[in-house]
Amino acid sequence: MSQIVKMQGMNKYFGKLHVLKDINLTVEAGEVVVIIGASGSGKSTLIRCVNGLEPFESGKLEVDGHPLAPKGGNQKSLAEIRKEVGMVFQQFNLFPHLTVKKNIMLAPMKVKNTPQVVANGTAERLLQRVGIADQANKYPSHLSGGQQQRVAIARALAMEPRLMLFDEPTSALDPEMIGEVLDVMRELAKEGMTMMVVTHEMGFAREVADRVIYIHEGQIVEEGKPEDVFDNPQNERTQSFLSRVLKH
Amino acid sequence: MEFQFQFDWQAAIQSIPFLLKGIPYTLLISFGGLAIGFLLGIIFGLLSINKRWFLRWPATAYIEVFRGTPILVQVLFIFYGLPDLVGGPIDPLTAGIAAIALNSGAYISEVVRGGVQSIDKGQTEAGLSLGLSRTQTFWSIVWPQAFRRMIPPLGNQAIVSIKDTSLFSVIGVGELVRQGQVYIANTFTAFEVYFVVAIMYLMITLSLSLILRLVERRGLTSV
Ligand SMILES: Nc1ncnc2c1ncn2[C@@H]1O[C@H](COP(=O)(O)OP(=O)(O)O)[C@@H](O)[C@H]1O
Ligand SMILES: [Mg+2]
């Protein structure tokens, strides 16, 4: 098995704030890693480092064989990494001036010079796959939150990524729409996509994750199979976090 | 003793053909200047939000200077002052267009800056995360959205600039006000003539408002 993400001794600061502390983490191809932790613990920052949306100060990072240097170092591989890593945001971040289909076609056409007819076919196929083929020519604002997030997933998939990052993809959704998005993610995991998922959906984590990572104040304090982390947490921080979130 | 003033419709109507000759100049100075001003606004507006100080500072200086001084002084400076510098006369039309360009350019820079900064950072992040370069992300994602938001303030600026051209009678461009002054010098019908001049400005600015409103409404349906 090959390693898609390799982090070694990574540190990240926002000014004086030490946000990620000595992170060591590898993600194997096909693995689904779910990252949990309290708000402000550094979950978003961690996955945003993977595609270079946040630079880091020290340590080593390699994504699908491309080394990414700390801030100030050689960032040449960044373009390559971003082509291979898809990201889904809490707020969807769809392009409101483009139709759903054009949202999906944009990156393949601009980045890979995919011909329009090909990009169009891919977009239709992906929309089918996420279950909203009938919305192709609408603008994002005319879709429900759940539909928008499924478009965002399709948009990322159009680049045929080797790794998908999800930053709380269901946190901005009305409860009744969470399921449809998680279903798409579950499918994706089943098909073998490598995924790093930040989520508060513990049921999803237990069911889909190969590994669960608990972050506390920028440090990985617990890591293991979902059943081990959820049912038998070793660290007392993890225990208190889980007892808080699993109560309701 | 009784003072009676009669609005002389005859005089007003008679002045129209002469005044109309000023409109092409008014329009040429306004829209010629605004077209260049728009380019300046894009360039300096974007420079003013650049990370690099040596690009940001000159842009900010330009914006502050041309927003902070009266356009009348600017056009006088260009028409009477600059020839000393460039060693040759500048014709009034060129001076007028240059003044509108530089002046509106400064305000449009601010419009551009505001428009671009109003677009959520998540849009840029989404573009970058899909593999688009910074340039691609800007021009295909941020700019089209920012531009749509810029339309109302740009329309506003166009109306201000059209009215500003009336000041350029001082350098002798034959625009609307200048035509009026020349006409009045022979007929002494100031009230009627300036009334007609005002109506003509109003017709230009109202048509522009109307067009902008239509454009805006069309823009909204797709966002
Ligand atoms: N752009 C930023 N500038 C300064 N501080 C930030 C920035 N982004 C996040 N932080 C801080 O870094 C810490 C980790 O944030 P984040 O990774 O967003 O946490 P999480 O996703 O776990 O809620 C928080 O204390 C947050 O306030
Ligand atoms: Mg977060």
Side-chain angles (χ1 to χ4, degrees), chain B residues 37-139:
Chain B
F38 184 55
L39 287 179
L40 292 176
I42 294 176
I43 294 168
F44 287 99
L46 295 183
L47 288 178
S48 76
I49 47 178
N50 198 285
K51 282 198 296 271
R52 279 160 289 217
W53 65 268
F54 57 89
L55 295 174
R56 200 170 63 237
W57 287 8
T60 308
Y62 158 72
I63 295 166
E64 293 304 331
V65 166
F66 281 90
R67 285 197 318 159
T69 54
I71 190 167
L72 184 57
V73 174
Q74 290 164 17
V75 77
L76 290 172
F77 184 84
I78 293 168
F79 186 66
Y80 293 110
L82 268 195
D84 293 345
L85 208 73
V86 298
I90 294 174
D91 75 275
L93 190 63
T94 310
I97 292 175
I100 292 293
L102 288 165
N103 184 270
S104 69
Y107 285 96
I108 294 171
S109 296
E110 288 291 275
V111 170
V112 168
R113 185 180 63 81
V116 169
Q117 286 179 335
S118 77
I119 303 303
D120 189 81
K121 255 184 54 201
Q123 292 290 305
T124 299
E125 293 184 348
L128 295 177
S129 77
L130 285 165
L132 274 71
S133 67
R134 287 214 159 261
T135 315
Q136 287 174 322
T137 300
F138 183 79
W139 290 113

